[in-house]
Amino acid sequence: MIQKHASQFETQVLGNSIDGRSISSLDWGNGETKVMLWSQMHGNESTATMALFDLFNFLEGSGDEYEEIRNTLRSNLNIKFIPMINPDGAEAFKRRNSLDIDLNRDAISQISPEAIILKNARDDFEPEFGFNLHDQQVYYNVEGTDKQATISVLAPAYNVATDVNEVRKRAMQTIVGMNKVLQQVVPGQVGKYDDAFEPRAFGDNIQKWGTSTILIESGGYWGDPDKQYIRQLNFMIILDALYQIATKGYEQYTTEEYFAIPDNDSKLADLMINEMLVEVGGKKYPIDLIIRRRESEVPGGYYVSGSIEDLGDMQVYYAPEVFDASEFEFEEGKVYESTLEDIGSLDFKQAIDLLKQGYLAVKVKNGASKDLHSLPILVLKSVDSFPSVWTTGSAPNFYLAKDGELKYAIVNGYLIDLENPKQQDFKQRIY
Ligand SMILES: [Zn+2]
């Protein structure tokens, strides 16, 4: 993909990753102000990499109504893009590199070749502005609200005292402008990251080395699991920031406006079940549960692993799906006695019928652990049973019963109304 842009961008192989994958830069523009953007230092954080390629296509465009923007950028900026600093992690879709090192903790020691490449690129180019592009987990909200932090921003600190010098101030000002654009399309969904100084991180150190550094974290947006809308937001704010830098538009903003951007918090879940009755020692207690369904990538897609994150009084949390279980009691689920041939022997309706009879799981003869499926029931191959409990850290697999009758099933963190089951895209795997 980088080769495709070689005619309009000056491309260069900067070096190789541990597993020998090339890491390249693409240079564009003939202006004075140097800007460097790098993405995917964490291999499974790909949103900004997609947006950078969108930006390459935009910058290569011509003959449309955006010529003025391109000309302004081209004549004022000298931009170096380094997409995918961690190609080995990207290949495995994991955070760390092939040494199992978090590159964002390797800015000083530079044990990893990828860290050396990034550091050398900064030192050779000496950019005035830098963009450190990441993804964050989807459970961040904007503090005190139920809004997902779809984009989080930070002008990282360059010292423990979190002082503001001219370098950091410029980053803050640019972020204010980016936030103004974001508020028009995702109002209330921008959070400011904690600015505690991390002495080993790239963002903090690049700020310290004199490059005004902006961290962009792509979070979640309900209904956008593949982050294609967030990719558009990335494209939009990176382009906006580049335009601000080219025109010095950021100078109109103040650090006070930066500090006024609300903080990130981590109070989101996929599902909240409130006041479910559980019986302990012959007594019944009402507990709230917060459930997250974390994604794991496998070839051909991903599955989720439901988890009870916490329980008790959970009123400070938010979720898109909240269920009032105050009239419902916890009840265990069972494994269906006969073993099925494979997942193909079961359809959605049959799975719901089994759920209604108290079976939360079926066993199969054929299939492999981690094979994907989309049935609303647990499918077991390498194990014969599953724990049906409500305690923290466990997988949420149980029933909600009313007057002794099963009304709802919780399967791997999905809430299923047994009387009115709706087809949804269950991201399940064989256990
Ligand atoms: Zn990251």
Side-chain angles (χ1 to χ4, degrees):
M1 285 179 69
I2 290 169
Q3 295 306 319
K4 277 190 198 165
H5 298 283
S7 65
Q8 298 230 18
F9 289 75
E10 196 185 312
T11 64
Q12 190 193 347
V13 175
L14 302 175
N16 288 314
S17 67
I18 291 166
D19 294 344
R21 294 190 171 87
S22 62
I23 296 166
S24 298
S25 62
L26 298 89
D27 287 28
W28 187 90
N30 38 40
E32 288 275 293
T33 307
K34 293 181 193 167
V35 184
M36 189 166 107
L37 303 94
W38 59 97
S39 73
Q40 217 167 339
M41 163 189 306
H42 295 136
N44 56 354
E45 299 177 5
S46 55
T47 308
T49 302
M50 295 187 279
L52 288 184
F53 279 86
D54 295 337
L55 194 61
F56 302 158
N57 291 327
F58 173 82
L59 294 174
E60 279 186 0
S62 64
D64 56 23
E65 69 264 43
Y66 305 114
E67 278 301 314
E68 183 270 329
I69 294 175
R70 282 185 203 103
N71 291 337
T72 303
L73 297 179
R74 189 182 284 111
S75 56
N76 287 287
L77 302 181
N78 177 0
I79 315 175
K80 183 181 291 294
F81 299 96
I82 312 177
M84 203 184 275
I85 282 283
N86 180 6
D88 297 345
E91 184 67 22
F93 214 65
K94 60 172 190 173
R95 180 179 180 85
R96 292 166 180 248
N97 69 0
S98 281
L99 259 178
D100 201 29
I101 281 181
D102 179 344
L103 285 178
N104 210 22
R105 298 291 177 268
D106 202 16
I108 299 301
S109 286
Q110 293 164 44
I111 301 161
S112 312
E114 299 91 350
I116 296 170
I117 288 168
L118 181 56
K119 172 72 160 79
N120 287 348
R122 200 227 72 95
D123 288 353
D124 294 344
F125 190 54
E126 292 193 315
E128 195 174 320
F129 282 85
F131 288 81
N132 187 15
L133 306 172
H134 290 254
D135 282 72
Q136 66 186 2
Q137 52 138 322
V138 300
Y139 299 111
Y140 281 112
N141 63 313
V142 173
E143 194 173 47
T145 79
D146 63 353
K147 296 278 179 76
Q148 232 171 347
T150 298
I151 297 286
S152 289
V153 289
L154 176 70
Y158 62 89
N159 63 8
V160 176
T162 68
D163 291 330
V164 180
N165 60 3
E166 273 308 309
V167 173
R168 190 174 178 215
K169 181 183 168 188
R170 279 198 303 258
M172 290 177 167
Q173 290 171 306
T174 310
I175 287 171
V176 172
M178 291 157 60
N179 182 46
K180 283 194 192 296
V181 174
L182 282 169
Q183 292 303 328
Q184 295 172 31
V185 283
V186 282
Q189 294 192 231
V190 180
K192 179 160 80 331
Y193 230 83
D194 174 30
D195 73 347
F197 180 67
E198 167 49 64
R200 302 165 299 166
F202 266 102
D204 306 50
N205 281 290
I206 291 181
Q207 192 90 274
K208 185 173 162 182
W209 298 328
T211 296
S212 297
T213 304
I214 292 164
L215 171 75
I216 301 176
E217 296 269 359
S218 294
Y221 188 84
W222 299 127
D224 185 25
D226 293 332
K227 300 184 118 175
Q228 295 302 302
Y229 178 59
I230 307 171
R231 166 186 178 173
Q232 293 178 27
L233 297 177
N234 264 259
F235 168 84
M236 187 183 77
I237 54 173
I238 293 170
L239 182 59
D240 172 76
L242 293 175
Y243 194 77
Q244 285 193 68
I245 294 167
T247 59
K248 301 219 186 297
Y250 62 85
E251 287 179 348
Q252 66 189 295
Y253 303 120
T254 64
T255 53
E256 286 73 24
E257 289 172 286
Y258 170 83
F259 286 113
I261 297 171
D263 287 333
N264 261 8
D265 199 356
S266 185
K267 291 288 192 293
L268 292 182
D270 291 293
L271 170 65
M272 283 180 73
I273 297 174
N274 289 334
E275 300 189 36
M276 174 180 82
L277 290 169
V278 297
E279 195 175 310
V280 174
K283 271 191 75 179
K284 286 176 184 168
Y285 302 88
I287 56 168
D288 307 338
L289 303 173
I290 57 163
I291 291 167
R292 288 174 174 168
R293 297 187 295 257
R294 289 203 170 78
E295 297 170 3
S296 297
E297 279 73 20
V298 287
Y302 69 95
Y303 62 82
V304 301
S305 303
S307 164
I308 299 171
E309 298 285 310
D310 202 355
L311 60 83
D313 175 359
M314 295 290 108
Q315 62 176 312
V316 299
Y317 283 86
Y318 307 95
E321 195 175 14
V322 179
F323 184 77
D324 173 8
S326 55
E327 293 179 343
F328 295 84
E329 282 185 53
F330 167 88
E331 190 145 332
E332 282 180 27
K334 299 174 295 187
V335 181
Y336 188 54
E337 294 86 359
S338 9
T339 302
L340 306 178
E341 203 59 37
D342 51 40
I343 45 173
S345 343
L346 200 63
D347 64 18
F348 179 80
K349 195 184 163 301
Q350 291 165 325
I352 295 290
D353 285 341
L354 288 175
L355 289 180
K356 284 180 180 171
Q357 296 167 49
Y359 301 112
L360 276 181
V362 294
K363 290 178 287 184
V364 289
K365 280 200 197 87
N366 303 306
S369 175
K370 296 203 174 168
D371 277 0
L372 300 175
H373 69 89
S374 54
L375 292 166
I377 195 165
L378 300 176
V379 179
L380 313 180
K381 172 69 172 68
S382 59
V383 291
D384 290 325
S385 64
F386 67 96
S388 185
V389 295
W390 48 264
T391 44
T392 49
S394 52
N397 293 305
F398 53 81
Y399 285 99
L400 297 173
K402 192 173 182 176
D403 305 323
E405 217 181 303
L406 304 178
K407 293 290 186 188
Y408 291 84
I410 316 291
V411 178
N412 192 24
Y414 290 106
L415 175 71
I416 298 160
D417 180 345
L418 296 176
E419 272 162 35
N420 251 320
K422 61 175 198 286
Q423 279 275 11
Q424 44 175 314
D425 194 12
F426 296 102
K427 296 291 186 183
Q428 302 266 56
R429 67 156 170 126
I430 295 179
Y431 293 89

